[in-house]
Amino acid sequence: MTSLDGATVLVTGANGGLGTQFVHQALTRGATKVYATARRPHDWDDPRIVPLRLDVTDPDSIAAAVDAAPDVTVLINNAGITPATTSLLASSDADLRATFEANFFGPVRLATAFAPLLARHPGASALIDVHSIASWYAFAGSYSASKAALWSATNSLRLELAPQGTQVVGVHVGYVDTPMAATAAGPKVDPAALIAQVYDVLEAGGFEVLGDDLTVQVKQGLAAPVEVLYPQLLG
Ligand SMILES: NC(=O)c1ccc[n+]([C@@H]2O[C@H](COP(=O)([O-])OP(=O)(O)OC[C@H]3O[C@@H](n4cnc5c(N)ncnc54)[C@H](OP(=O)(O)O)[C@@H]3O)[C@@H](O)[C@H]2O)c1
């Protein structure tokens, strides 16, 4: 279990809907410092919040963040993008690669770059990877594929970081009421409630967050024949 009390947290995509919640709720739970990283960082008007420029698709930017934030104890891979189309077949090669750069290579490179720093805090360090229900349900083309890949990477990271005392939490959820899901129809999870759940799981020593009922159902469906999860295959 990793307490946020006294932690130093780094959040990617901090300006976004979930990112903002990650920043503020870490402080509410006692974090002493939060690096609020973004492609275009802004002043947060709080001395505990350190704005930092970080583009997760740029290895030089990641290296600079490691130098600027050597005291990180909790790394939160939150930044992500949705591609222009939900069709895999209609995706251009450039779109596919851009989606994987932001949603897969970026978070994995960040975990790799910060792992030695997290190792300095055995039993008090953590990595949180924000996946999606899309990791387990292919409704969104390259977005789903990238989140499935990140889920697999998170499982590897769980195993590889456990010996150094770094807890790894993966987050799966359906639509959340943020700018990313602004045009989506259907019920949306409240971002504040989701991040409270994520931090509860982190501080309780858990490994996985299932943010809504639909995600729970889809995860259960993975154990069934594929046509149960995708009944449209039966015509
Ligand atoms: N909202 C949902 O329904 C939902 C559901 C499941 C999972 N998620 C996941 O939750 C995470 C947070 O998304 P959100 O809902 O908070 O959406 P959001 O409000 O659109 O925030 C996404 C953030 O990611 C940042 N970002 C994108 N590419 C980046 C890059 N190359 N480097 C650094 N930052 C980058 C964006 O920065 P800019 O401001 O510079 O564009 C933005 O601040 C994402 O990983 C998303 O896939 C969201």
Side-chain angles (χ1 to χ4, degrees):
M1 60 189 64
T2 308
S3 173
L4 285 162
D5 195 15
T8 298
V9 180
L10 186 146
V11 182
T12 69
N15 295 350
L18 292 184
T20 303
Q21 289 295 329
F22 272 124
V23 170
H24 287 304
Q25 292 194 36
L27 294 171
T28 305
R29 291 181 185 236
T32 49
K33 189 195 289 185
V34 180
Y35 293 101
T37 78
R39 291 184 283 196
R40 287 172 292 278
H42 67 84
D43 186 19
W44 291 70
D45 203 22
D46 184 326
R48 300 168 298 172
I49 304 177
V50 181
L52 195 61
R53 201 194 80 77
L54 173 59
D55 180 336
V56 303
T57 66
D58 176 1
D60 290 340
S61 177
I62 292 173
V66 168
D67 288 343
D71 51 350
V72 168
T73 63
V74 177
L75 170 65
I76 303 180
N77 272 325
N78 165 71
I81 61 168
T82 48
T85 173
T86 57
S87 164
L88 196 58
L89 292 176
S91 297
S92 67
D93 189 63
D95 273 352
L96 275 176
R97 290 178 187 279
T99 304
F100 270 76
E101 281 296 335
N103 293 356
F104 176 75
F105 288 108
V108 172
R109 285 193 193 111
L110 269 152
T112 304
F114 276 92
L117 301 181
L118 299 176
R120 296 176 186 168
H121 309 277
S125 57
L127 166 68
I128 298 175
D129 280 346
V130 180
H131 314 133
S132 170
I133 194 173
S135 308
W136 295 328
Y137 193 72
F139 69 98
S142 64
Y143 180 79
S144 293
S146 68
K147 291 293 188 177
L150 180 58
W151 169 52
S152 179
T154 300
N155 284 325
S156 297
L157 292 166
R158 279 193 181 100
L159 297 172
E160 292 187 41
L161 294 176
Q164 71 173 41
T166 298
Q167 180 187 353
V168 178
V169 176
V171 181
H172 298 265
V173 65
Y175 288 129
V176 188
D177 195 6
T178 71
M180 181 176 280
T183 59
K188 297 176 192 175
V189 173
D190 171 43
L194 176 68
I195 301 313
Q197 183 185 0
V198 173
Y199 282 158
D200 282 347
V201 169
L202 174 77
E203 295 198 298
F207 296 103
E208 192 165 84
V209 175
L210 304 181
D212 55 6
D213 291 345
L214 192 58
T215 302
V216 172
Q217 282 173 33
V218 166
K219 186 177 185 190
Q220 287 168 350
L222 293 175
V226 69
E227 60 270 29
V228 174
L229 201 53
Y230 301 101
Q232 59 270 47
L233 292 173
L234 299 174

Short mmCIF file of all heavy atoms in Angstrom, two decimals, residues 12-20 22 37-40 54-58 61 77-82 101-103 130-134 143 147 150 171-182 184 188-189 191 194, ligand 1:
data_model
loop_
_atom_site.label_atom_id
_atom_site.label_comp_id
_atom_site.label_asym_id
_atom_site.label_seq_id
_atom_site.Cartn_x
_atom_site.Cartn_y
_atom_site.Cartn_z
N THR A 12 0.83 13.08 -15.60
CA THR A 12 0.89 13.49 -17.01
C THR A 12 -0.51 13.90 -17.47
O THR A 12 -1.51 13.43 -16.94
CB THR A 12 1.43 12.35 -17.92
OG1 THR A 12 0.46 11.29 -17.98
CG2 THR A 12 2.76 11.81 -17.40
N GLY A 13 -0.54 14.79 -18.43
CA GLY A 13 -1.83 15.29 -18.90
C GLY A 13 -2.60 15.97 -17.80
O GLY A 13 -3.83 15.86 -17.71
N ALA A 14 -1.88 16.73 -16.97
CA ALA A 14 -2.49 17.29 -15.75
C ALA A 14 -3.57 18.32 -16.03
O ALA A 14 -4.42 18.58 -15.17
CB ALA A 14 -1.40 17.91 -14.87
N ASN A 15 -3.56 18.91 -17.22
CA ASN A 15 -4.57 19.93 -17.52
C ASN A 15 -5.93 19.34 -17.89
O ASN A 15 -6.91 20.06 -17.98
CB ASN A 15 -4.11 20.82 -18.68
CG ASN A 15 -2.89 21.65 -18.33
OD1 ASN A 15 -2.49 21.70 -17.17
ND2 ASN A 15 -2.28 22.27 -19.32
N GLY A 16 -5.98 18.03 -18.11
CA GLY A 16 -7.22 17.40 -18.57
C GLY A 16 -8.20 17.14 -17.44
O GLY A 16 -7.96 17.45 -16.27
N GLY A 17 -9.33 16.54 -17.81
CA GLY A 17 -10.41 16.30 -16.84
C GLY A 17 -9.98 15.42 -15.68
O GLY A 17 -10.20 15.77 -14.51
N LEU A 18 -9.38 14.28 -15.98
CA LEU A 18 -8.91 13.40 -14.90
C LEU A 18 -7.62 13.93 -14.29
O LEU A 18 -7.41 13.82 -13.07
CB LEU A 18 -8.70 11.97 -15.41
CG LEU A 18 -9.96 11.21 -15.83
CD1 LEU A 18 -9.62 9.78 -16.21
CD2 LEU A 18 -10.99 11.22 -14.71
N GLY A 19 -6.76 14.52 -15.13
CA GLY A 19 -5.48 15.02 -14.63
C GLY A 19 -5.67 16.04 -13.52
O GLY A 19 -4.99 16.00 -12.48
N THR A 20 -6.60 16.95 -13.72
CA THR A 20 -6.86 17.98 -12.71
C THR A 20 -7.30 17.35 -11.39
O THR A 20 -6.89 17.79 -10.31
CB THR A 20 -7.94 18.95 -13.23
OG1 THR A 20 -7.50 19.49 -14.48
CG2 THR A 20 -8.19 20.08 -12.27
N PHE A 22 -6.55 14.27 -10.40
CA PHE A 22 -5.38 13.60 -9.82
C PHE A 22 -4.52 14.60 -9.04
O PHE A 22 -4.03 14.30 -7.95
CB PHE A 22 -4.52 12.97 -10.93
CG PHE A 22 -4.91 11.57 -11.33
CD1 PHE A 22 -5.22 11.26 -12.64
CD2 PHE A 22 -4.94 10.54 -10.39
CE1 PHE A 22 -5.57 9.96 -13.02
CE2 PHE A 22 -5.28 9.23 -10.75
CZ PHE A 22 -5.59 8.95 -12.07
N THR A 37 2.24 18.06 -15.00
CA THR A 37 2.92 18.14 -16.29
C THR A 37 1.91 18.20 -17.43
O THR A 37 0.83 17.63 -17.37
CB THR A 37 3.88 16.96 -16.51
OG1 THR A 37 3.13 15.79 -16.88
CG2 THR A 37 4.71 16.67 -15.27
N ALA A 38 2.32 18.91 -18.48
CA ALA A 38 1.43 19.10 -19.63
C ALA A 38 2.27 19.59 -20.81
O ALA A 38 3.38 20.10 -20.62
CB ALA A 38 0.35 20.12 -19.30
N ARG A 39 1.68 19.45 -21.98
CA ARG A 39 2.37 20.00 -23.15
C ARG A 39 2.44 21.51 -23.05
O ARG A 39 3.41 22.13 -23.48
CB ARG A 39 1.65 19.57 -24.44
CG ARG A 39 1.79 18.10 -24.72
CD ARG A 39 1.16 17.71 -26.03
NE ARG A 39 -0.30 17.63 -25.96
CZ ARG A 39 -1.05 17.04 -26.87
NH1 ARG A 39 -0.48 16.49 -27.91
NH2 ARG A 39 -2.36 16.99 -26.73
N ARG A 40 1.40 22.09 -22.48
CA ARG A 40 1.37 23.55 -22.26
C ARG A 40 1.04 23.79 -20.78
O ARG A 40 -0.12 24.02 -20.42
CB ARG A 40 0.32 24.20 -23.17
CG ARG A 40 0.73 24.25 -24.65
CD ARG A 40 -0.39 24.73 -25.54
NE ARG A 40 -1.47 23.77 -25.59
CZ ARG A 40 -1.48 22.69 -26.40
NH1 ARG A 40 -0.46 22.45 -27.21
NH2 ARG A 40 -2.49 21.85 -26.39
N LEU A 54 5.85 18.61 -20.31
CA LEU A 54 6.13 17.21 -20.65
C LEU A 54 5.20 16.76 -21.77
O LEU A 54 3.98 16.72 -21.59
CB LEU A 54 5.96 16.30 -19.43
CG LEU A 54 6.07 14.79 -19.68
CD1 LEU A 54 7.42 14.41 -20.28
CD2 LEU A 54 5.86 14.01 -18.37
N ASP A 55 5.81 16.42 -22.90
CA ASP A 55 5.07 15.77 -23.99
C ASP A 55 5.45 14.30 -23.92
O ASP A 55 6.63 13.95 -24.14
CB ASP A 55 5.48 16.39 -25.33
CG ASP A 55 4.73 15.75 -26.51
OD1 ASP A 55 4.27 14.59 -26.39
OD2 ASP A 55 4.64 16.42 -27.55
N VAL A 56 4.51 13.44 -23.62
CA VAL A 56 4.84 12.02 -23.37
C VAL A 56 5.32 11.30 -24.63
O VAL A 56 5.86 10.20 -24.54
CB VAL A 56 3.65 11.26 -22.74
CG1 VAL A 56 3.21 11.92 -21.44
CG2 VAL A 56 2.49 11.10 -23.71
N THR A 57 5.12 11.92 -25.80
CA THR A 57 5.58 11.29 -27.03
C THR A 57 7.02 11.68 -27.38
O THR A 57 7.55 11.22 -28.39
CB THR A 57 4.68 11.65 -28.23
OG1 THR A 57 4.80 13.05 -28.49
CG2 THR A 57 3.22 11.30 -27.94
N ASP A 58 7.63 12.53 -26.57
CA ASP A 58 8.95 13.09 -26.89
C ASP A 58 9.99 12.58 -25.87
O ASP A 58 9.99 13.01 -24.72
CB ASP A 58 8.85 14.62 -26.86
CG ASP A 58 10.20 15.29 -27.08
OD1 ASP A 58 11.21 14.58 -27.28
OD2 ASP A 58 10.25 16.53 -27.03
N SER A 61 11.81 15.17 -23.91
CA SER A 61 10.96 15.80 -22.92
C SER A 61 10.87 14.92 -21.67
O SER A 61 10.88 15.42 -20.53
CB SER A 61 9.57 16.02 -23.54
OG SER A 61 8.67 16.57 -22.65
N ASN A 77 0.56 7.87 -15.08
CA ASN A 77 0.45 7.90 -16.54
C ASN A 77 -1.02 8.11 -16.91
O ASN A 77 -1.79 7.15 -17.07
CB ASN A 77 0.94 6.57 -17.13
CG ASN A 77 2.42 6.57 -17.41
OD1 ASN A 77 3.00 7.58 -17.79
ND2 ASN A 77 3.04 5.41 -17.22
N ASN A 78 -1.40 9.37 -17.01
CA ASN A 78 -2.80 9.73 -17.25
C ASN A 78 -3.04 10.24 -18.67
O ASN A 78 -4.12 10.01 -19.23
CB ASN A 78 -3.21 10.79 -16.22
CG ASN A 78 -4.50 11.49 -16.61
OD1 ASN A 78 -5.58 10.90 -16.55
ND2 ASN A 78 -4.39 12.75 -17.04
N ALA A 79 -2.04 10.90 -19.27
CA ALA A 79 -2.25 11.52 -20.59
C ALA A 79 -2.67 10.48 -21.61
O ALA A 79 -2.21 9.34 -21.59
CB ALA A 79 -0.96 12.21 -21.05
N GLY A 80 -3.55 10.86 -22.50
CA GLY A 80 -3.98 9.95 -23.57
C GLY A 80 -4.73 10.72 -24.62
O GLY A 80 -5.17 11.86 -24.41
N ILE A 81 -4.86 10.07 -25.78
CA ILE A 81 -5.60 10.70 -26.88
C ILE A 81 -6.59 9.70 -27.49
O ILE A 81 -6.42 8.49 -27.34
CB ILE A 81 -4.67 11.22 -28.00
CG1 ILE A 81 -3.86 10.07 -28.64
CG2 ILE A 81 -3.75 12.30 -27.49
CD1 ILE A 81 -3.15 10.45 -29.92
N THR A 82 -7.59 10.25 -28.14
CA THR A 82 -8.46 9.40 -28.97
C THR A 82 -8.17 9.74 -30.43
O THR A 82 -8.00 10.91 -30.77
CB THR A 82 -9.95 9.65 -28.68
OG1 THR A 82 -10.20 11.06 -28.67
CG2 THR A 82 -10.35 9.05 -27.35
N GLU A 101 1.91 6.13 -29.88
CA GLU A 101 2.95 6.97 -29.26
C GLU A 101 2.43 7.57 -27.95
O GLU A 101 3.11 7.55 -26.93
CB GLU A 101 3.41 8.09 -30.21
CG GLU A 101 4.38 7.65 -31.28
CD GLU A 101 5.73 7.17 -30.73
OE1 GLU A 101 6.12 7.59 -29.64
OE2 GLU A 101 6.38 6.37 -31.41
N ALA A 102 1.21 8.11 -28.00
CA ALA A 102 0.67 8.79 -26.82
C ALA A 102 0.17 7.80 -25.76
O ALA A 102 0.38 8.00 -24.56
CB ALA A 102 -0.47 9.72 -27.23
N ASN A 103 -0.51 6.73 -26.20
CA ASN A 103 -1.22 5.86 -25.25
C ASN A 103 -0.40 4.65 -24.81
O ASN A 103 -0.74 4.00 -23.82
CB ASN A 103 -2.53 5.37 -25.87
CG ASN A 103 -3.53 6.49 -26.08
OD1 ASN A 103 -3.29 7.63 -25.70
ND2 ASN A 103 -4.65 6.17 -26.69
N VAL A 130 -3.46 4.72 -16.46
CA VAL A 130 -4.88 4.87 -16.80
C VAL A 130 -5.14 4.17 -18.13
O VAL A 130 -4.71 4.62 -19.19
CB VAL A 130 -5.28 6.36 -16.87
CG1 VAL A 130 -6.77 6.46 -17.22
CG2 VAL A 130 -5.00 7.06 -15.54
N HIS A 131 -5.81 3.03 -18.04
CA HIS A 131 -6.22 2.30 -19.24
C HIS A 131 -7.64 2.74 -19.59
O HIS A 131 -7.96 3.92 -19.57
CB HIS A 131 -6.22 0.78 -18.99
CG HIS A 131 -5.03 0.24 -18.31
ND1 HIS A 131 -5.11 -0.65 -17.26
CD2 HIS A 131 -3.71 0.44 -18.52
CE1 HIS A 131 -3.90 -0.99 -16.87
NE2 HIS A 131 -3.04 -0.34 -17.61
N SER A 132 -8.51 1.76 -19.80
CA SER A 132 -9.89 2.05 -20.20
C SER A 132 -10.66 0.74 -20.25
O SER A 132 -10.06 -0.34 -20.28
CB SER A 132 -9.89 2.68 -21.61
OG SER A 132 -11.18 2.77 -22.14
N ILE A 133 -11.97 0.84 -20.31
CA ILE A 133 -12.78 -0.35 -20.64
C ILE A 133 -12.36 -0.84 -22.03
O ILE A 133 -12.48 -2.03 -22.35
CB ILE A 133 -14.28 0.00 -20.60
CG1 ILE A 133 -15.15 -1.26 -20.62
CG2 ILE A 133 -14.67 0.91 -21.76
CD1 ILE A 133 -16.63 -1.00 -20.40
N ALA A 134 -11.84 0.10 -22.83
CA ALA A 134 -11.45 -0.24 -24.21
C ALA A 134 -10.28 -1.22 -24.25
O ALA A 134 -10.04 -1.84 -25.29
CB ALA A 134 -11.08 1.04 -24.96
N TYR A 143 -7.62 3.09 -30.64
CA TYR A 143 -7.66 3.47 -29.21
C TYR A 143 -7.74 2.21 -28.36
O TYR A 143 -6.98 2.04 -27.41
CB TYR A 143 -8.85 4.39 -28.93
CG TYR A 143 -8.98 4.84 -27.49
CD1 TYR A 143 -8.18 5.85 -26.97
CD2 TYR A 143 -9.92 4.24 -26.63
CE1 TYR A 143 -8.30 6.26 -25.65
CE2 TYR A 143 -10.05 4.64 -25.31
CZ TYR A 143 -9.24 5.65 -24.82
OH TYR A 143 -9.37 6.04 -23.50
N LYS A 147 -4.89 0.76 -25.73
CA LYS A 147 -5.16 0.58 -24.30
C LYS A 147 -5.02 -0.89 -23.90
O LYS A 147 -4.68 -1.19 -22.75
CB LYS A 147 -6.56 1.10 -23.97
CG LYS A 147 -6.70 2.63 -24.07
CD LYS A 147 -5.88 3.35 -23.00
CE LYS A 147 -6.17 4.85 -22.96
NZ LYS A 147 -5.44 5.56 -21.90
N LEU A 150 -1.32 -1.22 -23.49
CA LEU A 150 -0.87 -0.61 -22.24
C LEU A 150 -1.23 -1.49 -21.05
O LEU A 150 -0.45 -1.63 -20.09
CB LEU A 150 -1.47 0.79 -22.07
CG LEU A 150 -1.06 1.52 -20.79
CD1 LEU A 150 0.46 1.69 -20.68
CD2 LEU A 150 -1.74 2.89 -20.70
N VAL A 171 -6.04 1.28 -14.18
CA VAL A 171 -7.40 1.83 -14.07
C VAL A 171 -8.18 1.51 -15.35
O VAL A 171 -7.75 1.85 -16.46
CB VAL A 171 -7.35 3.37 -13.88
CG1 VAL A 171 -8.76 3.93 -13.75
CG2 VAL A 171 -6.49 3.73 -12.68
N HIS A 172 -9.33 0.87 -15.17
CA HIS A 172 -10.23 0.58 -16.29
C HIS A 172 -11.57 1.23 -15.99
O HIS A 172 -12.12 1.06 -14.90
CB HIS A 172 -10.43 -0.93 -16.45
CG HIS A 172 -9.17 -1.67 -16.78
ND1 HIS A 172 -8.79 -1.99 -18.06
CD2 HIS A 172 -8.20 -2.15 -15.98
CE1 HIS A 172 -7.65 -2.64 -18.05
NE2 HIS A 172 -7.26 -2.75 -16.79
N VAL A 173 -12.13 1.89 -16.99
CA VAL A 173 -13.41 2.58 -16.78
C VAL A 173 -14.05 2.86 -18.13
O VAL A 173 -13.36 2.98 -19.15
CB VAL A 173 -13.18 3.89 -15.97
CG1 VAL A 173 -12.33 4.89 -16.74
CG2 VAL A 173 -14.49 4.52 -15.52
N GLY A 174 -15.39 2.95 -18.13
CA GLY A 174 -16.11 3.36 -19.34
C GLY A 174 -16.04 4.88 -19.49
O GLY A 174 -15.07 5.51 -19.07
N TYR A 175 -17.10 5.46 -20.04
CA TYR A 175 -17.04 6.91 -20.26
C TYR A 175 -16.97 7.67 -18.93
O TYR A 175 -17.68 7.36 -17.98
CB TYR A 175 -18.27 7.38 -21.03
CG TYR A 175 -18.27 6.96 -22.49
CD1 TYR A 175 -19.37 6.33 -23.04
CD2 TYR A 175 -17.17 7.22 -23.31
CE1 TYR A 175 -19.38 5.94 -24.37
CE2 TYR A 175 -17.16 6.83 -24.63
CZ TYR A 175 -18.27 6.20 -25.17
OH TYR A 175 -18.27 5.81 -26.48
N VAL A 176 -16.10 8.69 -18.94
CA VAL A 176 -15.97 9.59 -17.80
C VAL A 176 -16.30 11.00 -18.30
O VAL A 176 -15.98 11.34 -19.45
CB VAL A 176 -14.55 9.56 -17.21
CG1 VAL A 176 -14.49 10.35 -15.91
CG2 VAL A 176 -14.07 8.13 -17.00
N ASP A 177 -16.90 11.79 -17.46
CA ASP A 177 -17.38 13.12 -17.88
C ASP A 177 -16.22 14.12 -17.95
O ASP A 177 -16.06 14.97 -17.07
CB ASP A 177 -18.46 13.58 -16.90
CG ASP A 177 -19.24 14.76 -17.46
OD1 ASP A 177 -19.01 15.12 -18.64
OD2 ASP A 177 -20.08 15.31 -16.73
N THR A 178 -15.42 13.99 -19.00
CA THR A 178 -14.28 14.90 -19.23
C THR A 178 -14.35 15.37 -20.69
O THR A 178 -15.13 14.84 -21.48
CB THR A 178 -12.94 14.17 -19.02
OG1 THR A 178 -12.77 13.24 -20.11
CG2 THR A 178 -12.88 13.44 -17.70
N PRO A 179 -13.48 16.32 -21.05
CA PRO A 179 -13.49 16.77 -22.45
C PRO A 179 -13.31 15.62 -23.45
O PRO A 179 -13.88 15.67 -24.56
CB PRO A 179 -12.31 17.75 -22.50
CG PRO A 179 -12.25 18.30 -21.11
CD PRO A 179 -12.61 17.16 -20.20
N MET A 180 -12.56 14.58 -23.09
CA MET A 180 -12.34 13.48 -24.03
C MET A 180 -13.66 12.81 -24.43
O MET A 180 -13.81 12.36 -25.56
CB MET A 180 -11.39 12.43 -23.43
CG MET A 180 -11.10 11.27 -24.37
SD MET A 180 -9.91 10.10 -23.71
CE MET A 180 -8.38 10.94 -24.06
N ALA A 181 -14.59 12.74 -23.51
CA ALA A 181 -15.86 12.04 -23.78
C ALA A 181 -17.01 13.03 -24.00
O ALA A 181 -18.17 12.66 -23.89
CB ALA A 181 -16.19 11.11 -22.62
N ALA A 182 -16.67 14.26 -24.36
CA ALA A 182 -17.70 15.31 -24.45
C ALA A 182 -18.80 14.95 -25.43
O ALA A 182 -19.98 15.26 -25.21
CB ALA A 182 -17.05 16.64 -24.85
N ALA A 184 -19.62 11.82 -26.39
CA ALA A 184 -20.12 10.45 -26.21
C ALA A 184 -21.51 10.47 -25.60
O ALA A 184 -21.80 11.28 -24.72
CB ALA A 184 -19.16 9.66 -25.32
N LYS A 188 -22.00 8.63 -17.86
CA LYS A 188 -20.58 8.94 -17.69
C LYS A 188 -20.26 8.98 -16.20
O LYS A 188 -21.02 9.55 -15.40
CB LYS A 188 -20.24 10.29 -18.33
CG LYS A 188 -20.44 10.30 -19.83
CD LYS A 188 -20.18 11.68 -20.44
CE LYS A 188 -20.69 11.73 -21.87
NZ LYS A 188 -20.57 13.06 -22.48
N VAL A 189 -19.12 8.43 -15.86
CA VAL A 189 -18.66 8.44 -14.47
C VAL A 189 -18.20 9.84 -14.10
O VAL A 189 -17.63 10.57 -14.93
CB VAL A 189 -17.49 7.42 -14.32
CG1 VAL A 189 -16.85 7.51 -12.94
CG2 VAL A 189 -17.99 6.00 -14.60
N PRO A 191 -15.68 12.37 -12.75
CA PRO A 191 -14.22 12.29 -12.64
C PRO A 191 -13.72 12.34 -11.19
O PRO A 191 -12.77 11.64 -10.83
CB PRO A 191 -13.72 13.51 -13.42
CG PRO A 191 -14.87 14.07 -14.14
CD PRO A 191 -16.13 13.49 -13.59
N LEU A 194 -14.22 8.98 -9.59
CA LEU A 194 -13.29 7.97 -10.11
C LEU A 194 -11.91 8.11 -9.47
O LEU A 194 -11.31 7.12 -9.02
CB LEU A 194 -13.16 8.08 -11.64
CG LEU A 194 -12.13 7.13 -12.24
CD1 LEU A 194 -12.57 5.68 -12.12
CD2 LEU A 194 -11.83 7.49 -13.70
N1 LIG B 1 -12.93 10.39 -20.54
C1 LIG B 1 -13.19 9.10 -20.73
O1 LIG B 1 -14.32 8.70 -21.05
C2 LIG B 1 -12.11 8.09 -20.47
C3 LIG B 1 -12.49 6.76 -20.29
C4 LIG B 1 -11.50 5.79 -20.05
C5 LIG B 1 -10.17 6.17 -20.02
N2 LIG B 1 -9.84 7.49 -20.21
C6 LIG B 1 -8.41 7.83 -20.16
O2 LIG B 1 -8.23 8.77 -19.13
C7 LIG B 1 -7.04 9.53 -19.38
C8 LIG B 1 -7.32 10.99 -19.14
O3 LIG B 1 -8.27 11.43 -20.12
P1 LIG B 1 -9.38 12.51 -19.80
O4 LIG B 1 -10.67 11.83 -19.81
O5 LIG B 1 -8.99 13.33 -18.62
O6 LIG B 1 -9.31 13.37 -21.13
P2 LIG B 1 -8.82 14.88 -21.40
O7 LIG B 1 -9.56 15.81 -20.53
O8 LIG B 1 -8.92 15.02 -22.88
O9 LIG B 1 -7.30 14.86 -20.93
C9 LIG B 1 -6.30 14.21 -21.65
C10 LIG B 1 -5.03 14.95 -21.38
O10 LIG B 1 -3.95 14.25 -22.02
C11 LIG B 1 -3.07 15.22 -22.50
N3 LIG B 1 -2.21 14.71 -23.57
C12 LIG B 1 -2.56 14.20 -24.76
N4 LIG B 1 -1.45 13.91 -25.48
C13 LIG B 1 -0.40 14.27 -24.71
C14 LIG B 1 1.00 14.23 -24.88
N5 LIG B 1 1.55 13.79 -26.04
N6 LIG B 1 1.79 14.64 -23.87
C15 LIG B 1 1.26 15.11 -22.73
N7 LIG B 1 -0.06 15.20 -22.50
C16 LIG B 1 -0.87 14.78 -23.48
C17 LIG B 1 -3.97 16.33 -23.02
O11 LIG B 1 -3.19 17.48 -23.08
P3 LIG B 1 -3.56 18.76 -23.98
O12 LIG B 1 -4.39 19.59 -23.04
O13 LIG B 1 -2.23 19.35 -24.31
O14 LIG B 1 -4.31 18.28 -25.18
C18 LIG B 1 -5.03 16.38 -21.95
O15 LIG B 1 -4.71 17.28 -20.94
C19 LIG B 1 -6.63 9.18 -20.82
O16 LIG B 1 -5.57 8.26 -20.80
C20 LIG B 1 -7.87 8.53 -21.40
O17 LIG B 1 -7.58 7.64 -22.45
C21 LIG B 1 -10.77 8.44 -20.42
#
